[in-house]
Amino acid sequence: MPNRKSVFGDFGPHHLTDIDWQNPNHRRCVMASLVQGTKILERDRQKGRLGPRALAPPWYEFFHFELFKEIFDRDARCIFGAVYQYKYPTSNLIPKYVIAFRGTLPKRETAMRDWLIDIEVILNNLHKQKRFQQAVEIIKEMVASAGAANVWLAGYSLGAAITLLAAKEMAKMSDQPHLETYLFNPPFISLSLEWMENQELKRGINVTRTFLRGAIAVAKSAVVGLMADDDGGGSSRQFDNPFAAISGWVPHLFVNRGDIICSGYIGYFENREEMKKKGMGRLEMLASRESIIRNFFSNQKIEPAHLLASAVLHVNSRQSTNLKSDHSHRQWWDPLLTIESKVYRHE
């Protein structure tokens, strides 16, 4: 008997019998369901559920999508993503294609490989992983064939990390419209302070961390400038804006305040706004690309994967008593869910 969490009729947002694509809550539920469908595709493969026994199709067919392509990890030999195609003619509000990436699947066939990639996310090495590189290849292919305006991206947890980094890379290199992107519980690789009840203390710690990281950034830039002067190259790159290339890309981030894996994005954007009000927005911009811990333990020059210029931040403040619930994928199609949304734009 299948786990009821795999059964759309028991676990999915079947209350959405009439999808209004102008409604952001409906779009959230559809995107979250397509990502869940990707997870169930892999579970169907593992369990040998074929044809009418497969449990994945209702997760996308209910919303008038069909499976266009499975994205198969050639090393781990598992499905980690999928491309869905809308069955009917689309408009500006409805994507023709959605590329979705699942999160970590703690099952015997996938757990080890997924956990190893999770570690690489923490170490800021996701860009080196074949799974990420394969995801970028697929996204580029779909954008080249269908156009960026017709392709949306979505991912949950590990899949959100892959989606975020891939979409950010596309935003840097593409002269096409930025990809509409939905990130559910995306990992924020830094210490989150959202568990603190004392707001003044939390703000004080965030400001202190900004000054420390900012000092590191300024010192590094000064060294780079001196080296450039020695080489005759000048120091025009000394204070490059890390947000310039991606400021127009505004992904949707869905985070739970009680989820230590993703809640750091709340403080990340709130602190940036606070520092901007104090007239220290440039310092925060420089500081955001630095990690105090990474500077002690690594000489990497790769910017943090979670570095974002703009976003629509959707926060579920309804915390539970355990991380599993706060990090759950299901919360994003819960009909009783209430979220607070705010747009942060880099100017």
Side-chain angles (χ1 to χ4, degrees), residues 138-299:
I138 293 292
I139 293 171
K140 287 182 177 179
E141 289 175 8
M142 295 305 302
V143 168
S145 63
N150 294 313
V151 178
W152 289 16
L153 305 179
Y156 163 70
S157 195
L158 172 58
I162 292 172
T163 304
L164 187 157
L165 189 56
K168 189 162 69 168
E169 290 302 308
M170 294 294 292
K172 289 179 179 179
M173 68 177 66
S174 177
D175 56 358
Q176 299 190 63
H178 296 303
L179 297 170
E180 182 85 358
T181 308
Y182 292 77
L183 305 169
F184 300 96
N185 302 84
F188 185 88
I189 311 305
S190 185
L191 178 63
S192 173
L193 302 178
E194 292 310 305
W195 55 271
M196 297 183 65
E197 296 183 2
N198 188 321
Q199 298 301 308
E200 288 299 321
L201 178 59
K202 183 169 70 174
R203 277 194 288 269
I205 294 175
N206 276 328
V207 169
T208 301
R209 291 200 304 189
T210 296
F211 275 108
L212 287 173
R213 295 198 308 266
I216 292 171
V218 171
K220 279 186 171 181
S221 296
V223 171
V224 171
L226 288 172
M227 293 174 66
D229 287 341
D230 289 342
D231 292 338
S235 57
S236 61
R237 289 174 53 83
Q238 185 171 348
F239 291 108
D240 283 349
N241 183 345
F243 295 150
I246 60 172
S247 60
W249 173 55
V250 188
H252 293 266
L253 274 64
F254 298 88
V255 304
N256 185 304
R257 193 174 293 276
D259 180 5
I260 61 173
I261 294 174
C262 67
S263 61
Y265 277 108
I266 301 172
Y268 171 79
F269 283 108
E270 288 180 349
N271 188 54
R272 266 180 44 188
E273 190 171 69
E274 185 74 17
M275 295 297 286
K276 186 176 180 180
K277 290 179 181 177
K278 296 179 183 294
M280 293 183 284
R282 187 161 184 77
L283 177 65
E284 168 59 25
M285 181 181 66
L286 289 170
S288 64
R289 69 204 294 185
E290 296 295 336
S291 165
I292 296 171
I293 295 176
R294 191 171 64 252
N295 274 288
F296 274 107
F297 294 101
S298 172
N299 60 358

